[in-house]
Amino acid sequence: MGNKVFTDRSRVEQAQRCLRARWLGYHEQGMGIQSVRKSLPLAVGGAVHEGLAVLLQAASAVPGAHNDPIACVAFEQDAVNAALADFASFDAGRLETDLSEDVDLSAMDAGEREKVRSAIDQYLYDENRALVEAMVRAYARRRLRPLLEQYEVLEVEREGSWELADGLMFMSRPDALLRDRSDHNLYIQSFKTGASWDIRKGKDAEHDAQGLSEGVEIEKRLGERVLGIRYEFLWKGERRRDKDLSARFGVEARSQASPLVRGYLSPGMTDSDAQWNWSWDYMKEGGETSKLYWKAWRAAAVWEHMPIAKWIDMLDATTLTVGEEGREVGWSGPAQATGFTVAHPLDACFHPPIIQYRNDDDLRDWVEQVEHAEVRIAEAVATVHAATDEGEKRHLLNVYFPQSRRECVYPSVCQFEKICYGGEHIRYNPLESGLYTIRIPNHPQEDAKDASEGA
Ligand code: SF4
C-alpha cells in the first residue's frame, strides 16, 4: 500500500452490514457522501456526547471534585451549551424520524401540507433540543459524581490511530479513559443513548467490538493493559403515539415519552397554581398503587411551560420519604404533586453501568478478521476509483461493493435508499439531487487526499 489509508470501527461495521453503504458513505467522491438530513437518534446521541465530554473534561480537571457535590454540577451549564451548540446544526426540517413515524399529508393541498410539515418539524426539533439539555443536566446531577468517586478520568475523547496493516491506519476516539481509584486498572468509558432498557442491549454489549478496537491504541501508546469497557446507558424514552399532539397537528403524531421533557399537568387559574406529576403511576402513603385521574391530568411538554433547567431542579429535589419504623414510603418532591413514586425520576433515566472485560482470544480474532477485510476493501476502493467510465464503475461496484438489500428500510431506513432504488440520475449524480453532501470527516487525522486514493 502506498499512501496511508484510514479506517475505523464505524467503517468496519458498515462494511459488515452492507458493502455498498460502505462505498457510498466513505469512498464515493473520495470522502464519501451523507444525507443532508440526520437521523433523530444520531443527532440526539451526538449532541449528548458533546455535552458529556465537556462535563467530564471540566470536572476531572478539578482536584477532589469526586468529594465535592458542588464541583460536580459547576460545569453543567458549559456542558449544556456545548450539547445545544452541536444540536443547533440540525435545524428544524433536517431531523429524520423512523419510517414508522411518517405521516400521510397527501390529502392536504400544498399550502396546508407545508404548514403542517413545518409545525411538526419545529415541534420535533424543540422537543429533542429540550431532551438533549435535560439528559446532560440529569447526568451532571446523578451520574457524574459516582463515576468520579470510583474512577480518575485520564483522557476524554482523545484521538488516536495505530497501524492495522502496512499503510492501513485504524482510528479511534474513546469517550473517556478511566483509572479505577482502588485497583488502578484502566477502563474505557462508553456512553450509549437508547430508548429504553432491553436485555438485548446488555447481551449486545458482550459482543461489541468497541472495547476490542478502542483498547488497542491505548495499550500500544501507554504500554499498559486496558481491562475492560464500562458502558453507561442513558434513556431517551420511546416515541409514542400522542392523542393530544395528533389533535393539534390534525395528523397522527408521536412524542418522546421521557419524564425529562414530559410531565402530567393540572393547570390552575394561573401559572403559579399549576401542578405537575412526572409519573402517571404513584403509591399512596399506605403503599397501595394508583394512577392519576385522567380528567384532571393531561400530558404536557415541559419546555412549553418552563425552562428545562427549572424542571430538572424540580426533579432533582425529589427525596425519599421514610415513615414510622423506618419503612420507605417512596419518593416525592415538587415534580410529583400526587403520592409517592417507586424510583427517583432522574435515576429512572439511567441503567447501572455494565463492565465488559476484554479477552485476548477475542482480540486476536478481531484484529485478524478486520485486517484481512480492510486490506481487501482498500484494494477494491483503488480499483473502482481507477474506472474510466460510469459503465465500468457500475460493474466494479457490483463486483466489489454489492448491495446487501438486507437493511434498506428495517430496522431504520438506510440513508442511501434513494440512491440504490432511485433513477439513473440520482445513482450517477447523488450530490446534484440536493439530498446528499460530501461526508464531514469524523476524525481529524483523515485527509481527503489520502482517504480517497485507497492505495
Ligand atoms: S439501501 Fe440497502 S443496499 Fe443500498 S446501501 Fe443501503 S442497505 Fe445497502
Side-chain angles (χ1 to χ4, degrees):
M1 234 172 271
N3 292 330
K4 278 183 185 167
V5 177
F6 292 92
T7 191
D8 60 15
R9 185 169 54 89
S10 302
R11 275 161 239 228
V12 169
E13 291 175 355
Q14 185 66 281
Q16 289 165 346
R17 287 193 292 269
C18 177
L19 280 163
R20 181 60 58 89
R22 164 67 183 263
W23 165 266
L24 290 166
Y26 294 99
H27 308 291
E28 174 67 35
Q29 307 282 327
M31 181 54 81
I33 60 175
Q34 63 186 47
S35 169
V36 295
R37 290 169 69 90
K38 183 93 170 174
S39 98
L40 184 62
L42 288 182
V44 170
V48 170
H49 270 75
E50 285 294 320
L52 297 184
V54 167
L55 195 63
L56 276 194
Q57 192 92 58
S60 62
V62 178
H66 60 290
N67 290 321
D68 181 353
I70 294 171
C72 281
V73 294
F75 307 103
E76 182 179 310
Q77 191 57 48
D78 290 344
V80 166
N81 293 345
L84 294 184
D86 185 82
F87 193 72
S89 57
F90 313 109
D91 45 8
R94 284 189 51 214
L95 293 171
E96 192 145 63
T97 51
D98 193 75
L99 190 62
S100 60
E101 217 172 307
D102 263 13
V103 286
D104 182 7
L105 306 179
S106 57
M108 298 176 183
D109 64 41
E112 183 67 6
R113 199 158 51 231
E114 173 76 31
K115 213 169 107 193
V116 171
R117 182 74 265 164
S118 115
I120 293 174
D121 286 344
Q122 188 62 52
Y123 187 90
L124 187 71
Y125 179 83
D126 294 343
E127 174 186 59
N128 283 278
R129 185 181 187 280
L131 184 63
V132 165
E133 174 176 351
M135 288 174 82
V136 173
R137 290 194 187 281
Y139 190 89
R141 308 286 175 102
R142 300 296 290 183
R143 303 303 315 164
L144 179 63
R145 195 165 170 216
L147 181 140
L148 294 178
E149 280 170 350
Q150 190 175 353
Y151 302 96
E152 190 186 344
V153 180
L154 303 183
E155 298 172 355
V156 179
E157 296 210 339
R158 187 186 196 282
E159 290 283 348
S161 60
W162 52 283
E163 196 161 29
L164 175 63
D166 181 27
L168 179 56
M169 305 303 294
F170 192 98
M171 303 174 291
S172 56
R173 186 179 57 229
D175 290 340
L177 177 63
L178 311 175
R179 187 182 294 288
D180 192 304
R181 291 185 190 275
S182 54
D183 63 16
H184 306 295
N185 282 313
L186 292 181
Y187 293 89
I188 291 168
Q189 169 76 10
S190 175
F191 294 113
K192 300 272 190 198
T193 52
S196 60
W197 175 247
D198 172 337
I199 186 68
R200 289 172 296 183
K201 290 193 173 76
K203 287 282 170 200
D204 202 39
E206 291 175 15
H207 309 301
D208 194 7
Q210 191 175 354
L212 300 176
S213 64
E214 292 183 348
V216 176
E217 189 275 330
I218 294 166
E219 289 182 339
K220 284 179 183 290
R221 178 163 49 83
L222 301 183
E224 201 177 335
R225 179 116 173 92
V226 174
L227 206 63
I229 182 160
R230 178 182 189 266
Y231 292 101
E232 205 162 3
F233 294 89
L234 292 78
W235 304 133
K236 297 176 293 182
E238 312 284 347
R239 292 193 58 72
R240 296 204 184 125
R241 286 194 184 88
D242 185 316
K243 273 191 193 163
D244 290 345
L245 204 56
S246 300
R248 177 161 151 184
F249 294 134
V251 289
E252 186 181 286
R254 293 188 184 218
S255 62
Q256 203 76 36
S258 165
L260 293 177
V261 292
R262 189 163 295 279
Y264 301 98
L265 173 66
S266 172
M269 298 297 286
T270 66
D271 275 356
S272 58
D273 300 333
Q275 289 189 306
W276 288 85
N277 282 309
W278 71 270
S279 175
W280 187 260
D281 298 305
Y282 68 93
M283 293 182 303
K284 296 178 181 169
E285 196 146 357
E288 314 94 309
T289 56
S290 191
K291 294 181 189 299
L292 299 180
Y293 180 46
W294 64 275
K295 280 189 179 171
W297 298 90
R298 301 300 296 180
V302 169
W303 71 95
E304 293 183 340
H305 296 269
M306 69 178 94
I308 283 296
K310 183 178 173 194
W311 177 242
I312 297 296
D313 284 344
M314 287 166 66
L315 293 173
D316 195 24
T318 302
T319 53
L320 183 63
T321 301
V322 179
E324 289 168 13
E325 299 166 4
R327 185 181 64 84
E328 290 185 359
V329 177
W331 296 87
S332 64
Q336 184 72 24
T338 314
F340 302 87
T341 57
V342 177
H344 188 293
L346 295 182
D347 288 345
C349 303
F350 302 100
H351 190 271
I354 294 174
I355 294 205
Q356 184 60 36
Y357 292 93
R358 297 171 84 236
N359 171 308
D360 286 340
D361 273 351
D362 284 352
L363 183 59
R364 181 197 159 164
D365 290 343
W366 179 83
V367 169
E368 284 187 6
Q369 290 165 25
V370 170
E371 178 185 345
H372 185 66
E374 288 299 308
V375 167
R376 279 188 305 171
I377 287 174
E379 289 166 356
V381 167
T383 304
V384 179
H385 278 316
T388 51
D389 62 56
E390 284 298 340
E392 185 189 4
K393 180 181 171 187
R394 183 171 185 164
H395 167 69
L396 291 171
L397 285 179
N398 286 335
V399 171
Y400 293 114
F401 295 94
Q403 296 163 291
S404 77
R405 293 178 177 255
R406 291 177 63 88
E407 295 199 10
C408 305
V409 292
Y410 189 83
S412 56
V413 179
C414 169
Q415 62 170 328
F416 302 121
E417 194 249 355
K418 290 188 175 64
I419 298 178
C420 282
Y421 304 109
E424 289 286 297
H425 190 70
I426 194 166
R427 283 189 188 216
Y428 290 135
N429 296 298
L431 296 182
E432 274 184 19
S433 69
L435 299 175
Y436 295 90
T437 182
I438 297 290
R439 179 177 67 88
I440 298 163
N442 193 32
H443 297 277
Q445 303 100 308
E446 285 186 77
D447 174 274
K449 179 170 171 290
D450 288 346
S452 71
E453 289 182 354

mmCIF file with all atom_site columns, all heavy atoms in Angstrom, residues 149-166:
data_model
loop_
_atom_site.group_PDB
_atom_site.id
_atom_site.type_symbol
_atom_site.label_atom_id
_atom_site.label_alt_id
_atom_site.label_comp_id
_atom_site.label_asym_id
_atom_site.label_entity_id
_atom_site.label_seq_id
_atom_site.pdbx_PDB_ins_code
_atom_site.Cartn_x
_atom_site.Cartn_y
_atom_site.Cartn_z
_atom_site.occupancy
_atom_site.B_iso_or_equiv
_atom_site.pdbx_formal_charge
_atom_site.auth_seq_id
_atom_site.auth_comp_id
_atom_site.auth_asym_id
_atom_site.auth_atom_id
_atom_site.pdbx_PDB_model_num
ATOM 1   N N   . GLU A 1 149 ? -16.178 9.270  41.799 1.00 0.00 ? 149 GLU A N   1
ATOM 2   C CA  . GLU A 1 149 ? -15.797 8.652  43.076 1.00 0.00 ? 149 GLU A CA  1
ATOM 3   C C   . GLU A 1 149 ? -15.025 7.358  42.846 1.00 0.00 ? 149 GLU A C   1
ATOM 4   O O   . GLU A 1 149 ? -14.091 7.044  43.561 1.00 0.00 ? 149 GLU A O   1
ATOM 5   C CB  . GLU A 1 149 ? -17.055 8.348  43.913 1.00 0.00 ? 149 GLU A CB  1
ATOM 6   C CG  . GLU A 1 149 ? -17.580 9.576  44.628 1.00 0.00 ? 149 GLU A CG  1
ATOM 7   C CD  . GLU A 1 149 ? -18.942 9.346  45.265 1.00 0.00 ? 149 GLU A CD  1
ATOM 8   O OE1 . GLU A 1 149 ? -19.574 8.299  45.001 1.00 0.00 ? 149 GLU A OE1 1
ATOM 9   O OE2 . GLU A 1 149 ? -19.373 10.232 46.010 1.00 0.00 ? 149 GLU A OE2 1
ATOM 10  N N   . GLN A 1 150 ? -15.411 6.619  41.829 1.00 0.00 ? 150 GLN A N   1
ATOM 11  C CA  . GLN A 1 150 ? -14.762 5.327  41.606 1.00 0.00 ? 150 GLN A CA  1
ATOM 12  C C   . GLN A 1 150 ? -13.560 5.420  40.671 1.00 0.00 ? 150 GLN A C   1
ATOM 13  O O   . GLN A 1 150 ? -12.609 4.634  40.786 1.00 0.00 ? 150 GLN A O   1
ATOM 14  C CB  . GLN A 1 150 ? -15.786 4.329  41.041 1.00 0.00 ? 150 GLN A CB  1
ATOM 15  C CG  . GLN A 1 150 ? -15.226 2.912  41.023 1.00 0.00 ? 150 GLN A CG  1
ATOM 16  C CD  . GLN A 1 150 ? -16.246 1.882  40.580 1.00 0.00 ? 150 GLN A CD  1
ATOM 17  O OE1 . GLN A 1 150 ? -17.431 2.186  40.407 1.00 0.00 ? 150 GLN A OE1 1
ATOM 18  N NE2 . GLN A 1 150 ? -15.787 0.651  40.382 1.00 0.00 ? 150 GLN A NE2 1
ATOM 19  N N   . TYR A 1 151 ? -13.603 6.378  39.744 1.00 0.00 ? 151 TYR A N   1
ATOM 20  C CA  . TYR A 1 151 ? -12.555 6.428  38.725 1.00 0.00 ? 151 TYR A CA  1
ATOM 21  C C   . TYR A 1 151 ? -11.937 7.819  38.625 1.00 0.00 ? 151 TYR A C   1
ATOM 22  O O   . TYR A 1 151 ? -12.612 8.827  38.811 1.00 0.00 ? 151 TYR A O   1
ATOM 23  C CB  . TYR A 1 151 ? -13.120 6.086  37.340 1.00 0.00 ? 151 TYR A CB  1
ATOM 24  C CG  . TYR A 1 151 ? -13.771 4.744  37.255 1.00 0.00 ? 151 TYR A CG  1
ATOM 25  C CD1 . TYR A 1 151 ? -15.150 4.615  37.396 1.00 0.00 ? 151 TYR A CD1 1
ATOM 26  C CD2 . TYR A 1 151 ? -13.012 3.599  37.022 1.00 0.00 ? 151 TYR A CD2 1
ATOM 27  C CE1 . TYR A 1 151 ? -15.760 3.372  37.327 1.00 0.00 ? 151 TYR A CE1 1
ATOM 28  C CE2 . TYR A 1 151 ? -13.617 2.344  36.944 1.00 0.00 ? 151 TYR A CE2 1
ATOM 29  C CZ  . TYR A 1 151 ? -14.999 2.250  37.099 1.00 0.00 ? 151 TYR A CZ  1
ATOM 30  O OH  . TYR A 1 151 ? -15.599 1.010  37.014 1.00 0.00 ? 151 TYR A OH  1
ATOM 31  N N   . GLU A 1 152 ? -10.670 7.805  38.231 1.00 0.00 ? 152 GLU A N   1
ATOM 32  C CA  . GLU A 1 152 ? -9.997  9.032  37.828 1.00 0.00 ? 152 GLU A CA  1
ATOM 33  C C   . GLU A 1 152 ? -10.154 9.102  36.306 1.00 0.00 ? 152 GLU A C   1
ATOM 34  O O   . GLU A 1 152 ? -9.974  8.090  35.627 1.00 0.00 ? 152 GLU A O   1
ATOM 35  C CB  . GLU A 1 152 ? -8.526  8.877  38.201 1.00 0.00 ? 152 GLU A CB  1
ATOM 36  C CG  . GLU A 1 152 ? -7.685  10.103 38.085 1.00 0.00 ? 152 GLU A CG  1
ATOM 37  C CD  . GLU A 1 152 ? -6.215  9.749  38.354 1.00 0.00 ? 152 GLU A CD  1
ATOM 38  O OE1 . GLU A 1 152 ? -5.953  8.666  38.909 1.00 0.00 ? 152 GLU A OE1 1
ATOM 39  O OE2 . GLU A 1 152 ? -5.374  10.561 37.995 1.00 0.00 ? 152 GLU A OE2 1
ATOM 40  N N   . VAL A 1 153 ? -10.514 10.279 35.786 1.00 0.00 ? 153 VAL A N   1
ATOM 41  C CA  . VAL A 1 153 ? -10.667 10.412 34.336 1.00 0.00 ? 153 VAL A CA  1
ATOM 42  C C   . VAL A 1 153 ? -9.320  10.859 33.763 1.00 0.00 ? 153 VAL A C   1
ATOM 43  O O   . VAL A 1 153 ? -8.846  11.959 34.035 1.00 0.00 ? 153 VAL A O   1
ATOM 44  C CB  . VAL A 1 153 ? -11.763 11.439 33.972 1.00 0.00 ? 153 VAL A CB  1
ATOM 45  C CG1 . VAL A 1 153 ? -11.903 11.568 32.460 1.00 0.00 ? 153 VAL A CG1 1
ATOM 46  C CG2 . VAL A 1 153 ? -13.090 11.036 34.595 1.00 0.00 ? 153 VAL A CG2 1
ATOM 47  N N   . LEU A 1 154 ? -8.677  9.992  32.970 1.00 0.00 ? 154 LEU A N   1
ATOM 48  C CA  . LEU A 1 154 ? -7.337  10.296 32.442 1.00 0.00 ? 154 LEU A CA  1
ATOM 49  C C   . LEU A 1 154 ? -7.410  11.043 31.113 1.00 0.00 ? 154 LEU A C   1
ATOM 50  O O   . LEU A 1 154 ? -6.591  11.923 30.848 1.00 0.00 ? 154 LEU A O   1
ATOM 51  C CB  . LEU A 1 154 ? -6.534  9.011  32.235 1.00 0.00 ? 154 LEU A CB  1
ATOM 52  C CG  . LEU A 1 154 ? -6.349  8.099  33.458 1.00 0.00 ? 154 LEU A CG  1
ATOM 53  C CD1 . LEU A 1 154 ? -5.470  6.914  33.091 1.00 0.00 ? 154 LEU A CD1 1
ATOM 54  C CD2 . LEU A 1 154 ? -5.721  8.874  34.606 1.00 0.00 ? 154 LEU A CD2 1
ATOM 55  N N   . GLU A 1 155 ? -8.343  10.661 30.269 1.00 0.00 ? 155 GLU A N   1
ATOM 56  C CA  . GLU A 1 155 ? -8.452  11.271 28.935 1.00 0.00 ? 155 GLU A CA  1
ATOM 57  C C   . GLU A 1 155 ? -9.926  11.347 28.549 1.00 0.00 ? 155 GLU A C   1
ATOM 58  O O   . GLU A 1 155 ? -10.718 10.500 28.963 1.00 0.00 ? 155 GLU A O   1
ATOM 59  C CB  . GLU A 1 155 ? -7.742  10.408 27.882 1.00 0.00 ? 155 GLU A CB  1
ATOM 60  C CG  . GLU A 1 155 ? -6.260  10.248 28.110 1.00 0.00 ? 155 GLU A CG  1
ATOM 61  C CD  . GLU A 1 155 ? -5.613  9.228  27.174 1.00 0.00 ? 155 GLU A CD  1
ATOM 62  O OE1 . GLU A 1 155 ? -6.342  8.566  26.398 1.00 0.00 ? 155 GLU A OE1 1
ATOM 63  O OE2 . GLU A 1 155 ? -4.387  9.072  27.242 1.00 0.00 ? 155 GLU A OE2 1
ATOM 64  N N   . VAL A 1 156 ? -10.261 12.361 27.768 1.00 0.00 ? 156 VAL A N   1
ATOM 65  C CA  . VAL A 1 156 ? -11.638 12.482 27.255 1.00 0.00 ? 156 VAL A CA  1
ATOM 66  C C   . VAL A 1 156 ? -11.564 12.686 25.744 1.00 0.00 ? 156 VAL A C   1
ATOM 67  O O   . VAL A 1 156 ? -10.882 13.592 25.262 1.00 0.00 ? 156 VAL A O   1
ATOM 68  C CB  . VAL A 1 156 ? -12.377 13.673 27.904 1.00 0.00 ? 156 VAL A CB  1
ATOM 69  C CG1 . VAL A 1 156 ? -13.784 13.808 27.340 1.00 0.00 ? 156 VAL A CG1 1
ATOM 70  C CG2 . VAL A 1 156 ? -12.437 13.519 29.421 1.00 0.00 ? 156 VAL A CG2 1
ATOM 71  N N   . GLU A 1 157 ? -12.236 11.803 25.007 1.00 0.00 ? 157 GLU A N   1
ATOM 72  C CA  . GLU A 1 157 ? -12.309 11.886 23.539 1.00 0.00 ? 157 GLU A CA  1
ATOM 73  C C   . GLU A 1 157 ? -10.943 12.166 22.904 1.00 0.00 ? 157 GLU A C   1
ATOM 74  O O   . GLU A 1 157 ? -10.818 13.043 22.059 1.00 0.00 ? 157 GLU A O   1
ATOM 75  C CB  . GLU A 1 157 ? -13.343 12.924 23.102 1.00 0.00 ? 157 GLU A CB  1
ATOM 76  C CG  . GLU A 1 157 ? -14.750 12.540 23.524 1.00 0.00 ? 157 GLU A CG  1
ATOM 77  C CD  . GLU A 1 157 ? -15.831 13.050 22.604 1.00 0.00 ? 157 GLU A CD  1
ATOM 78  O OE1 . GLU A 1 157 ? -15.562 14.009 21.866 1.00 0.00 ? 157 GLU A OE1 1
ATOM 79  O OE2 . GLU A 1 157 ? -16.930 12.485 22.629 1.00 0.00 ? 157 GLU A OE2 1
ATOM 80  N N   . ARG A 1 158 ? -9.942  11.434 23.314 1.00 0.00 ? 158 ARG A N   1
ATOM 81  C CA  . ARG A 1 158 ? -8.610  11.624 22.741 1.00 0.00 ? 158 ARG A CA  1
ATOM 82  C C   . ARG A 1 158 ? -8.514  10.837 21.430 1.00 0.00 ? 158 ARG A C   1
ATOM 83  O O   . ARG A 1 158 ? -8.808  9.646  21.382 1.00 0.00 ? 158 ARG A O   1
ATOM 84  C CB  . ARG A 1 158 ? -7.547  11.107 23.715 1.00 0.00 ? 158 ARG A CB  1
ATOM 85  C CG  . ARG A 1 158 ? -6.130  11.421 23.273 1.00 0.00 ? 158 ARG A CG  1
ATOM 86  C CD  . ARG A 1 158 ? -5.148  10.736 24.217 1.00 0.00 ? 158 ARG A CD  1
ATOM 87  N NE  . ARG A 1 158 ? -3.810  11.276 24.104 1.00 0.00 ? 158 ARG A NE  1
ATOM 88  C CZ  . ARG A 1 158 ? -2.954  10.996 23.138 1.00 0.00 ? 158 ARG A CZ  1
ATOM 89  N NH1 . ARG A 1 158 ? -3.313  10.164 22.164 1.00 0.00 ? 158 ARG A NH1 1
ATOM 90  N NH2 . ARG A 1 158 ? -1.741  11.522 23.128 1.00 0.00 ? 158 ARG A NH2 1
ATOM 91  N N   . GLU A 1 159 ? -8.117  11.538 20.385 1.00 0.00 ? 159 GLU A N   1
ATOM 92  C CA  . GLU A 1 159 ? -7.965  10.907 19.076 1.00 0.00 ? 159 GLU A CA  1
ATOM 93  C C   . GLU A 1 159 ? -6.705  10.047 19.066 1.00 0.00 ? 159 GLU A C   1
ATOM 94  O O   . GLU A 1 159 ? -5.679  10.441 19.622 1.00 0.00 ? 159 GLU A O   1
ATOM 95  C CB  . GLU A 1 159 ? -7.821  11.969 17.988 1.00 0.00 ? 159 GLU A CB  1
ATOM 96  C CG  . GLU A 1 159 ? -9.072  12.747 17.702 1.00 0.00 ? 159 GLU A CG  1
ATOM 97  C CD  . GLU A 1 159 ? -10.067 11.981 16.861 1.00 0.00 ? 159 GLU A CD  1
ATOM 98  O OE1 . GLU A 1 159 ? -9.705  10.923 16.309 1.00 0.00 ? 159 GLU A OE1 1
ATOM 99  O OE2 . GLU A 1 159 ? -11.218 12.432 16.784 1.00 0.00 ? 159 GLU A OE2 1
ATOM 100 N N   . GLY A 1 160 ? -6.783  8.910  18.416 1.00 0.00 ? 160 GLY A N   1
ATOM 101 C CA  . GLY A 1 160 ? -5.586  8.078  18.283 1.00 0.00 ? 160 GLY A CA  1
ATOM 102 C C   . GLY A 1 160 ? -5.685  7.210  17.049 1.00 0.00 ? 160 GLY A C   1
ATOM 103 O O   . GLY A 1 160 ? -6.762  7.063  16.464 1.00 0.00 ? 160 GLY A O   1
ATOM 104 N N   . SER A 1 161 ? -4.553  6.673  16.613 1.00 0.00 ? 161 SER A N   1
ATOM 105 C CA  . SER A 1 161 ? -4.586  5.720  15.499 1.00 0.00 ? 161 SER A CA  1
ATOM 106 C C   . SER A 1 161 ? -3.404  4.769  15.612 1.00 0.00 ? 161 SER A C   1
ATOM 107 O O   . SER A 1 161 ? -2.406  5.092  16.256 1.00 0.00 ? 161 SER A O   1
ATOM 108 C CB  . SER A 1 161 ? -4.580  6.439  14.152 1.00 0.00 ? 161 SER A CB  1
ATOM 109 O OG  . SER A 1 161 ? -3.426  7.228  14.016 1.00 0.00 ? 161 SER A OG  1
ATOM 110 N N   . TRP A 1 162 ? -3.534  3.611  15.046 1.00 0.00 ? 162 TRP A N   1
ATOM 111 C CA  . TRP A 1 162 ? -2.459  2.615  15.034 1.00 0.00 ? 162 TRP A CA  1
ATOM 112 C C   . TRP A 1 162 ? -2.493  1.892  13.696 1.00 0.00 ? 162 TRP A C   1
ATOM 113 O O   . TRP A 1 162 ? -3.498  1.905  12.986 1.00 0.00 ? 162 TRP A O   1
ATOM 114 C CB  . TRP A 1 162 ? -2.602  1.632  16.200 1.00 0.00 ? 162 TRP A CB  1
ATOM 115 C CG  . TRP A 1 162 ? -3.951  0.991  16.314 1.00 0.00 ? 162 TRP A CG  1
ATOM 116 C CD1 . TRP A 1 162 ? -5.091  1.550  16.803 1.00 0.00 ? 162 TRP A CD1 1
ATOM 117 C CD2 . TRP A 1 162 ? -4.313  -0.337 15.897 1.00 0.00 ? 162 TRP A CD2 1
ATOM 118 N NE1 . TRP A 1 162 ? -6.135  0.669  16.734 1.00 0.00 ? 162 TRP A NE1 1
ATOM 119 C CE2 . TRP A 1 162 ? -5.688  -0.507 16.184 1.00 0.00 ? 162 TRP A CE2 1
ATOM 120 C CE3 . TRP A 1 162 ? -3.622  -1.407 15.342 1.00 0.00 ? 162 TRP A CE3 1
ATOM 121 C CZ2 . TRP A 1 162 ? -6.372  -1.685 15.925 1.00 0.00 ? 162 TRP A CZ2 1
ATOM 122 C CZ3 . TRP A 1 162 ? -4.305  -2.595 15.094 1.00 0.00 ? 162 TRP A CZ3 1
ATOM 123 C CH2 . TRP A 1 162 ? -5.663  -2.720 15.376 1.00 0.00 ? 162 TRP A CH2 1
ATOM 124 N N   . GLU A 1 163 ? -1.351  1.257  13.362 1.00 0.00 ? 163 GLU A N   1
ATOM 125 C CA  . GLU A 1 163 ? -1.235  0.655  12.035 1.00 0.00 ? 163 GLU A CA  1
ATOM 126 C C   . GLU A 1 163 ? -1.775  -0.782 12.078 1.00 0.00 ? 163 GLU A C   1
ATOM 127 O O   . GLU A 1 163 ? -1.178  -1.668 12.697 1.00 0.00 ? 163 GLU A O   1
ATOM 128 C CB  . GLU A 1 163 ? 0.226   0.683  11.568 1.00 0.00 ? 163 GLU A CB  1
ATOM 129 C CG  . GLU A 1 163 ? 0.359   0.436  10.083 1.00 0.00 ? 163 GLU A CG  1
ATOM 130 C CD  . GLU A 1 163 ? 1.695   0.906  9.544  1.00 0.00 ? 163 GLU A CD  1
ATOM 131 O OE1 . GLU A 1 163 ? 2.681   0.894  10.314 1.00 0.00 ? 163 GLU A OE1 1
ATOM 132 O OE2 . GLU A 1 163 ? 1.755   1.279  8.341  1.00 0.00 ? 163 GLU A OE2 1
ATOM 133 N N   . LEU A 1 164 ? -2.900  -0.981 11.405 1.00 0.00 ? 164 LEU A N   1
ATOM 134 C CA  . LEU A 1 164 ? -3.538  -2.294 11.367 1.00 0.00 ? 164 LEU A CA  1
ATOM 135 C C   . LEU A 1 164 ? -2.804  -3.209 10.390 1.00 0.00 ? 164 LEU A C   1
ATOM 136 O O   . LEU A 1 164 ? -2.619  -4.405 10.626 1.00 0.00 ? 164 LEU A O   1
ATOM 137 C CB  . LEU A 1 164 ? -5.001  -2.116 10.938 1.00 0.00 ? 164 LEU A CB  1
ATOM 138 C CG  . LEU A 1 164 ? -5.856  -3.347 10.709 1.00 0.00 ? 164 LEU A CG  1
ATOM 139 C CD1 . LEU A 1 164 ? -6.034  -4.162 11.988 1.00 0.00 ? 164 LEU A CD1 1
ATOM 140 C CD2 . LEU A 1 164 ? -7.243  -2.942 10.185 1.00 0.00 ? 164 LEU A CD2 1
ATOM 141 N N   . ALA A 1 165 ? -2.393  -2.665 9.252  1.00 0.00 ? 165 ALA A N   1
ATOM 142 C CA  . ALA A 1 165 ? -1.597  -3.390 8.254  1.00 0.00 ? 165 ALA A CA  1
ATOM 143 C C   . ALA A 1 165 ? -0.714  -2.332 7.591  1.00 0.00 ? 165 ALA A C   1
ATOM 144 O O   . ALA A 1 165 ? -0.862  -1.141 7.895  1.00 0.00 ? 165 ALA A O   1
ATOM 145 C CB  . ALA A 1 165 ? -2.504  -4.054 7.226  1.00 0.00 ? 165 ALA A CB  1
ATOM 146 N N   . ASP A 1 166 ? 0.161   -2.754 6.721  1.00 0.00 ? 166 ASP A N   1
ATOM 147 C CA  . ASP A 1 166 ? 1.089   -1.826 6.089  1.00 0.00 ? 166 ASP A CA  1
ATOM 148 C C   . ASP A 1 166 ? 0.349   -0.631 5.468  1.00 0.00 ? 166 ASP A C   1
ATOM 149 O O   . ASP A 1 166 ? -0.371  -0.783 4.490  1.00 0.00 ? 166 ASP A O   1
ATOM 150 C CB  . ASP A 1 166 ? 1.874   -2.589 5.014  1.00 0.00 ? 166 ASP A CB  1
ATOM 151 C CG  . ASP A 1 166 ? 2.879   -1.677 4.333  1.00 0.00 ? 166 ASP A CG  1
ATOM 152 O OD1 . ASP A 1 166 ? 3.326   -0.707 4.968  1.00 0.00 ? 166 ASP A OD1 1
ATOM 153 O OD2 . ASP A 1 166 ? 3.198   -1.934 3.149  1.00 0.00 ? 166 ASP A OD2 1
#
